[in-house]
Amino acid sequence: MTEYGYFLAAEEHGPAELIEQARMAEQAGFTSLWISDHYHPWNEAQGQSSFVWSVIGALAQATSLPVQTAVTCPTFRIHPAVVAQAAATSAVLLGGRFRLGVGSGEALNEHVLGDRWPPAPVRLEMLEEAVMVMRQLFEGRRVNHHGKHYTVENARLFTVPDEPVPIDIAAFGEAACALAGRVGDGFITMVPDAELVERFRRGSGASGNHKPVRGGLKVCFGPDADEALRTAHRLWAVESLPGQLLTTLPTPAHFEQASDLITPERTARKVTCGDDIDAHIGALSAYAEAGFDTVYVNQIGPDQRGFFDFYRTKVLPQLAG
């Protein structure tokens, strides 16, 4: 049976707000948490972008829910050996209730140190090597690695969980999906695409070793559907931009320029807005029907308490049934 988690949007809310949302999510009946890992928000209107590893430390004290990054890029802005240390510590603080979600990243976040932004095949090659380095470090042994993209010398993690941190890989295209199947402990994607899920499952090898598939979507609950759509369009028109733009535009200003091309009608096709119970259930059920194990939903805008009340009383009970 598909489970339902809450997606904490670190681009839109400050750290204290994220912690409070996590508490409300647990009280509302959500079973796990995602949290985004960004250096910049997608646009100025979102206005936030706290350091994810600090927030995860606070989440470990505020909630008993499992936590996963969605997603961390362990290849440019932060070296994979350092990401491994952060993930291992997070897993210890959360009593093993932590999964590391990784992806090949966006220039928006990863270009900030002035590194070259290579084409997608190179970024996937870097991601695969980074995953290999992190897996070695999660074992708690001394690691020396001299690879094509990364060097690690005499590195050992002394604070590690009882079991290695699971690494799920985010993918949208065929090549990334193949990588996820080959080296990931699970699969992350943002569209309810049954064919993509099946492709991952075929590529993940051993039958009987079920690797979870997790997906996320955004909604904007509110009693006035038109106002909710205006909020969604103002804050998250970026959701409707084509994939290559998402990975290559370097600044929030560039995303604002591109988002000017997105109409409210197009946002309405991407984001469920308003308080129609059937519409919200239908949006989440599409992921369950496509074979997802967990779906993470994020509420756009300031009405977080109204959203959690709505899902606690109207939506989640029907999904559970």
Side-chain angles (χ1 to χ4, degrees), residues 146-171:
H146 297 272
K148 182 175 180 179
H149 299 287
Y150 303 105
T151 297
V152 179
E153 292 187 352
N154 299 318
R156 178 186 169 192
L157 297 181
F158 282 81
T159 300
V160 292
D162 293 336
E163 298 292 333
V165 178
I167 302 175
D168 297 344
I169 296 178

Side-chain angles (χ1 to χ4, degrees), residues 42-67:
W42 296 100
N43 54 47
E44 293 282 346
Q46 291 175 355
Q48 295 288 336
S49 201
S50 49
F51 188 55
V52 69
W53 303 107
S54 299
V55 180
I56 289 172
L59 289 172
Q61 305 304 307
T63 177
S64 64
L65 296 181
V67 177

Side-chain angles (χ1 to χ4, degrees), residues 61-101:
Q61 305 304 307
T63 177
S64 64
L65 296 181
V67 177
Q68 180 171 38
T69 54
V71 293
T72 293
C73 177
T75 52
F76 292 95
R77 175 169 41 106
I78 304 180
H79 191 283
V82 180
V83 174
Q85 184 185 28
T89 299
S90 297
V92 170
L93 282 170
L94 284 156
R97 294 175 287 108
F98 178 75
R99 297 181 75 95
L100 178 63

Side-chain angles (χ1 to χ4, degrees), residues 17-48:
E17 295 173 292
L18 295 172
I19 301 307
E20 180 58 27
Q21 288 169 22
R23 293 191 181 101
M24 290 192 289
E26 185 167 18
Q27 293 166 2
F30 289 97
T31 60
S32 54
L33 298 169
W34 262 5
I35 184 167
S36 54
D37 181 359
H38 269 237
Y39 194 89
H40 292 139
W42 296 100
N43 54 47
E44 293 282 346
Q46 291 175 355
Q48 295 288 336

Side-chain angles (χ1 to χ4, degrees), residues 75-304:
T75 52
F76 292 95
R77 175 169 41 106
I78 304 180
H79 191 283
V82 180
V83 174
Q85 184 185 28
T89 299
S90 297
V92 170
L93 282 170
L94 284 156
R97 294 175 287 108
F98 178 75
R99 297 181 75 95
L100 178 63
V102 299
S104 58
E106 305 94 13
L108 174 71
N109 302 303
E110 307 307 324
H111 84 287
V112 295
L113 302 182
D115 296 310
R116 170 178 173 264
W117 187 243
V122 176
R123 300 200 305 270
L124 289 175
E125 183 180 82
M126 295 174 70
L127 180 60
E128 184 166 3
E129 185 177 337
V131 168
M132 181 180 67
V133 168
M134 292 188 295
R135 288 200 192 284
Q136 292 174 353
L137 288 165
F138 288 152
E139 295 175 3
R141 59 185 177 86
R142 190 176 305 279
V143 174
N144 287 282
H145 173 85
H146 297 272
K148 182 175 180 179
H149 299 287
Y150 303 105
T151 297
V152 179
E153 292 187 352
N154 299 318
R156 178 186 169 192
L157 297 181
F158 282 81
T159 300
V160 292
D162 293 336
E163 298 292 333
V165 178
I167 302 175
D168 297 344
I169 296 178
F172 300 93
E174 186 173 336
C177 183
L179 174 63
R182 188 169 67 253
V183 305
D185 294 311
F187 179 45
I188 291 171
T189 191
M190 299 299 168
V191 290
D193 187 333
E195 183 178 342
L196 201 60
V197 171
E198 178 58 29
R199 186 179 299 137
F200 164 74
R201 297 217 185 278
R202 287 198 306 267
S204 64
S207 60
N209 180 22
H210 180 80
K211 294 184 177 182
V213 176
R214 295 177 165 85
L217 78 162
K218 294 186 178 295
V219 304
C220 191
F221 162 79
D224 184 330
D226 291 335
E227 178 61 27
L229 177 57
R230 285 190 289 271
T231 298
H233 185 256
R234 177 175 63 86
L235 292 172
W236 286 95
V238 65
E239 282 284 289
S240 297
L241 292 176
Q244 289 299 311
L245 287 180
L246 289 174
T247 59
T248 57
L249 295 180
T251 69
H254 288 95
F255 278 97
E256 289 166 7
Q257 292 167 11
S259 294
D260 285 342
L261 303 174
I262 304 299
T263 64
E265 291 75 21
R266 189 169 175 182
T267 297
R269 292 195 293 270
K270 187 76 172 181
V271 180
T272 299
C273 298
D275 61 356
D276 185 312
I277 299 171
D278 291 338
H280 283 264
I281 290 173
L284 273 70
S285 296
Y287 289 80
E289 292 165 4
F292 284 70
D293 296 279
T294 310
V295 185
Y296 295 82
V297 58
N298 170 253
Q299 162 70 357
I300 295 172
D303 190 9
Q304 296 291 317

